[in-house]
Amino acid sequence: MTAAFERIYDPAWAASWDAVGLVCGDPAQPVRRVLFAVDPVAAVVEEALEWGADLVITHHPLLLRGVTSVAATTPKGRLVHRLIAAGTALYTAHTNADTAVPGVSDALAAAVGLTGDLDPLEPDPADPAGRRGIGRVGTLPEPVALRDFAARAAAGLPRTAGGIRVSGDPDRPVRRVAVSGGAGDSLLGRARAAGVDVFLTSDLRHHPASEFAEHGDIALIDTAHWASEWPWLADGAARLASALGGERANVETRVSEIVTDAWSLAI
């Protein structure tokens, strides 16, 4: 099972600082049910165990930084113990799923209305074809006002307490768009170099966004981190099912709809 998934999202594509692959579980164990989720948190593990999942595939790592203990005295340790006790494996596909084609940002682009060919915002230098990379740049079928594009993006993404935030003249026309699932303020310079009208991403911090907006040439849309990556889950599940033989495969996939965004209320 994990071998089939790694043929789609090669762990070698992950960033050097990342932690991807099998977190816990026996690679040889039979898998009949796979739950896809963004975050390996308690609510997702509870859903997996209630559904009888043999494998949970999450986008975010449970153990991104080194640890010396997974004792059940910590929240992450308790999750590891619960998963092992239930015989449920946990697997992470993070930056290798971001850079894949199609990957996380391709799904985000489709969710907010981009059609046609997409180019990487930050190409992966290890890909001679120049197709893999972080973020995507594409074009809307026709120009629309920023306010209308923002409304389209909000409608295409799952709802969160914080919604989305927009920086720029709401009436300005936009057509060329850059998107990047997850935290993207490190890519602001790339968005400017790409000559886009608007850059949609997550976790934009005040100072980088303020300095960027002062130029007045590119609008910004800031979404919830979880919401910008959630659309990929269905694509990842479909690609895994296809790799396993589609309808002939005796494997059931499910996308968790639990909102695991960190924020539960905006006042």
Side-chain angles (χ1 to χ4, degrees):
M1 173 65 71
T2 56
F5 194 69
E6 289 178 350
R7 286 193 292 271
I8 308 168
Y9 304 106
D10 191 338
W13 298 340
S16 59
W17 51 263
D18 205 1
V20 303
L22 193 64
V23 179
C24 65
D26 182 351
Q29 76 179 56
V31 173
R32 295 181 178 83
R33 284 186 165 183
V34 184
L35 178 70
F36 280 76
V38 174
D39 296 297
V41 294
V44 167
V45 171
E46 187 67 31
E47 178 185 9
L49 301 192
E50 288 182 356
W51 183 53
D54 305 295
L55 172 65
V56 180
I57 295 178
T58 63
H59 182 52
H60 290 149
L62 176 67
L63 304 171
L64 181 58
R65 296 173 179 85
V67 298
T68 58
S69 170
V70 289
T73 53
T74 67
K76 291 187 177 184
R78 284 192 290 274
L79 292 187
V80 172
H81 279 258
R82 290 200 69 193
L83 288 165
I84 292 175
T88 301
L90 174 63
Y91 186 97
T92 296
H94 193 208
T95 51
N96 53 321
D98 286 327
T99 195
V101 181
V104 171
S105 290
D106 296 277
L108 173 59
V112 302
L114 292 179
T115 59
D117 294 334
L118 298 171
D119 296 314
L121 180 59
E122 184 177 60
D124 183 347
D127 178 21
R131 299 185 63 233
R132 290 199 318 269
I134 302 299
R136 295 293 182 267
V137 179
T139 304
L140 296 170
E142 58 185 24
V144 298
L146 176 61
R147 70 169 75 248
D148 295 328
F149 175 69
R152 181 184 302 175
L157 296 175
R159 293 180 63 86
T160 58
I164 67 171
R165 301 183 296 179
V166 181
S167 171
D169 179 357
D171 294 318
R172 68 174 293 167
V174 299
R175 185 167 193 183
R176 186 165 168 80
V177 179
V179 303
S180 184
D185 61 14
S186 65
L187 298 169
L188 288 169
R190 290 276 185 177
R192 173 161 285 121
V196 300
D197 302 306
V198 59
F199 179 35
L200 182 151
T201 189
S202 305
D203 295 346
L204 289 173
R205 295 171 295 160
H206 171 78
H207 292 296
S210 177
E211 292 169 6
F212 187 85
E214 280 294 290
H215 292 272
D217 54 342
I218 300 174
L220 295 173
I221 296 180
D222 183 50
T223 76
H225 191 123
W226 169 84
S228 70
E229 295 176 327
W230 186 83
W232 168 74
L233 302 179
D235 187 56
R239 297 192 74 199
L240 175 60
S242 177
L244 295 172
E247 294 181 357
R248 297 190 303 275
N250 188 29
V251 174
E252 185 178 359
T253 62
R254 175 174 173 175
V255 171
S256 175
E257 296 186 359
I258 297 174
V259 177
T260 56
D261 186 54
W263 310 108
S264 58
L265 180 66
I267 300 174

